[in-house]
């Protein structure tokens, strides 16, 4: 029931994950894991925005097709994978720091 706008959905720094990526996680910037997460998350927002644009243009069936399509699913899965990878990296770094 929430009203979404494509101009808002496309912003990868506005959601909780994006705020973390561009906020607290910026200390990880430059690492391949961070860059992968940032890029995959931004791509997910582009795909989600495309779905919302279809709804805004009155093309509900096209929106559903995009939502159920391979591009959206791939973007979602890659973002989740990147989240899990950076989580493992952060936990590993924390264990290493605790061992010192």
């Amino acid at each position: 029931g929430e009203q979404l706008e494509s101009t808002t959905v496309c912003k990868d720094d506005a959601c909780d994950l994006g705020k973390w990526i561009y906020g607290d996680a910026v200390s990880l910037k430059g690492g391949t894991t961070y860059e992968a997460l940032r890029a995959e998350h931004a791509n997910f927002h582009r795909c989600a925005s495309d779905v919302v644009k279809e709804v805004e243009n009155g093309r509900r069936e096209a929106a559903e097709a995009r939502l159920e399509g391979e591009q959206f699913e791939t973007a979602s899965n890659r973002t989740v994978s990147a989240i899990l990878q950076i989580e493992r990296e952060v936990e590993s770094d924390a264990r290493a720091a605790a061992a010192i």
Side-chain angles (χ1 to χ4, degrees), residues 45-60:
H45 274 270
R46 281 189 293 277
C47 290
S49 179
D50 289 344
V51 171
V52 175
K53 283 179 191 174
E54 295 290 8
V55 173
E56 290 171 344
N57 292 320
R59 297 188 297 259
R60 193 147 191 86

Side-chain angles (χ1 to χ4, degrees), residues 2-92:
E2 181 181 356
Q3 185 68 25
L4 300 175
E5 295 178 5
S6 61
T7 55
T8 302
V9 173
C10 71
K11 296 177 182 175
D12 69 321
D13 62 347
C15 69
D16 289 341
L17 178 58
K19 289 175 184 175
W20 180 79
I21 290 170
Y22 293 104
D24 292 342
V26 80
S27 63
L28 304 170
K29 191 174 182 176
T32 56
T33 307
Y34 173 87
E35 293 303 328
L37 174 58
R38 188 200 53 72
E40 296 299 347
H41 179 251
N43 184 53
F44 171 79
H45 274 270
R46 281 189 293 277
C47 290
S49 179
D50 289 344
V51 171
V52 175
K53 283 179 191 174
E54 295 290 8
V55 173
E56 290 171 344
N57 292 320
R59 297 188 297 259
R60 193 147 191 86
E61 287 182 20
E64 289 175 11
R66 280 188 182 269
L67 191 59
E68 296 170 0
E70 184 177 338
Q71 185 178 15
F72 185 85
E73 181 179 357
T74 298
S76 179
N77 289 339
R78 286 184 175 183
T79 301
V80 170
S81 293
I83 291 167
L84 295 174
Q85 180 62 36
I86 204 162
E87 182 180 55
R88 287 189 293 270
E89 181 179 301
V90 169
E91 288 174 357
S92 176

